[in-house]
Amino acid sequence: MKIDRNAPVGVFDSGVGGLTVAREIMRNLPSEKIVYFGDTARVPYGSKSKETIIRYSRQIIRFLQGQQVKAIVVACNTASAFALEEIRNELDIPILGVIEPGARVAAQETKNKRVGVIGTVGTVGTGIHEDYLRRLDQEITVIGKACPLFVPLVEEGWLHDPVTIEVASRYLRELQEKEIDTLILGCTHYPLLRSVIRQVMGDDVRLVNPAYETALELGRLLKEENLLSAGKEQEEFPYRFYVSDLAEKFKDFANSILPYDVEMTQKIDIERF
Ligand code: DGL
């Protein structure tokens, strides 16, 4: 199959979290167009079963393929943990997730070899970050902690609220006691809580946002496959956003965090795919 190098990259998440990855792609690969899908009708993914997340991911990928994307970024740790390996072989375009890039940065950064991972119940339950980290360095100890209330707090826009600080203090206390020096933000929603997490963990713990490394990895992959775009100047909507519910709310949120004025957000019926 001949893939069009000027086609957009598909990026998806359960909601707004994947925008943290889209933002890094916009900054680091400015010639690339993006079709983003946020599954706002079915968020959160983190408390659902593997079978359900695989089914959702397949539907979204079918939708993105209908948009003629040339590559797919699974901008969701839960879907990366549950569905990526299962789905990779079904596709004839490149696909990458967010877990391996994050683990790579953490392995480079840690000095005392004690790494914390926060994520959804689903992601932390798989132990997938630990698998990658231990493959990179056998001496690393990984301490995982699920923070299920973080995603609804982010979707609600409570990024700096006293309630969020209280919740973060309770979740993160355990990690503070374990003397980690590096903490992977293992859910794409969590970088939006970075200042709260920083406040609770203090300045000595390095916070790893896998989004930046994922964007660089995408660039490497596209280059390898000869799929880097020649430019997006002529496009009316170089970044297009689709959701499964509440398009206006999503648009307002996206506009508050992206270095781009989001005009096109459309609701689609994902169950059709
Ligand atoms: N942002 C997603 C992740 O990285 C999913 C959060 C959720 O929907 O529970 O895991």
Side-chain angles (χ1 to χ4, degrees), residues 13-14 17 43-46 76-78 120 123 151 187-189:
D13 178 47
S14 61
V43 66
Y45 278 13
C76 171
N77 288 261
T78 314
T120 65
T123 303
V151 168
C187 168
T188 52
H189 282 71

Side-chain angles (χ1 to χ4, degrees), residues 3-223:
I3 307 174
D4 175 8
R5 60 199 290 249
N6 292 320
V9 174
V11 178
F12 78 89
D13 178 47
S14 61
V16 297
L19 292 173
T20 61
V21 179
R23 180 167 68 179
E24 294 303 325
I25 298 172
M26 291 174 184
R27 285 181 182 145
N28 293 285
L29 302 170
S31 296
E32 298 302 332
K33 295 179 282 237
I34 295 173
V35 175
Y36 184 96
F37 180 79
D39 201 355
T40 47
R42 304 188 293 195
V43 66
Y45 278 13
S47 51
K48 297 192 170 74
S49 69
K50 178 172 176 159
E51 295 66 41
T52 299
I53 299 307
I54 292 176
R55 184 168 71 81
Y56 288 177
S57 301
R58 283 203 177 106
Q59 286 178 318
I60 296 168
I61 286 168
R62 276 196 285 272
F63 164 72
L64 290 172
Q65 285 185 303
Q67 301 294 310
Q68 322 294 343
V69 298
K70 64 179 173 185
I72 291 176
V73 179
V74 184
C76 171
N77 288 261
T78 314
S80 299
F82 280 156
L84 183 59
E85 283 320 309
E86 193 85 22
I87 279 169
R88 195 190 293 280
N89 302 329
E90 300 167 7
L91 294 180
D92 44 16
I93 55 172
I95 182 164
L96 77 155
V98 281
I99 291 176
E100 200 175 349
R104 212 168 33 232
V105 177
Q108 281 158 12
E109 291 294 326
T110 182
K111 302 273 180 296
N112 73 358
K113 299 195 188 286
R114 298 182 65 77
V115 175
V117 180
I118 51 175
T120 65
V121 172
T123 303
V124 172
T126 63
I128 191 168
H129 285 91
E130 176 159 11
D131 294 345
Y132 277 116
L133 281 159
R134 297 291 290 269
R135 241 178 272 165
L136 294 164
D137 183 344
Q138 288 240 343
E139 287 174 21
I140 292 178
T141 301
V142 181
I143 299 118
K145 175 77 186 165
C147 305
L149 292 175
F150 278 0
V151 168
L153 287 167
V154 170
E155 292 282 331
E156 197 55 32
W158 291 14
L159 306 185
H160 308 279
D161 196 273
V163 169
T164 310
I165 297 175
E166 173 63 26
V167 170
S169 307
R170 286 179 65 169
Y171 281 144
L172 302 178
R173 193 172 303 141
E174 195 180 313
L175 293 174
Q176 286 168 312
E177 287 162 5
K178 298 269 167 60
E179 293 179 352
I180 56 163
D181 73 347
T182 304
L183 178 60
I184 300 179
L185 307 181
C187 168
T188 52
H189 282 71
Y190 297 0
L192 297 167
L193 299 177
R194 193 186 182 98
S195 68
V196 166
I197 296 169
R198 159 75 53 231
Q199 189 178 329
V200 173
M201 292 306 292
D203 290 334
D204 293 339
V205 174
R206 163 81 210 255
L207 303 183
V208 174
N209 172 5
Y212 173 69
E213 191 59 26
T214 302
L216 298 190
E217 173 86 28
L218 173 66
R220 282 191 291 268
L221 192 65
L222 293 177
K223 187 158 186 241

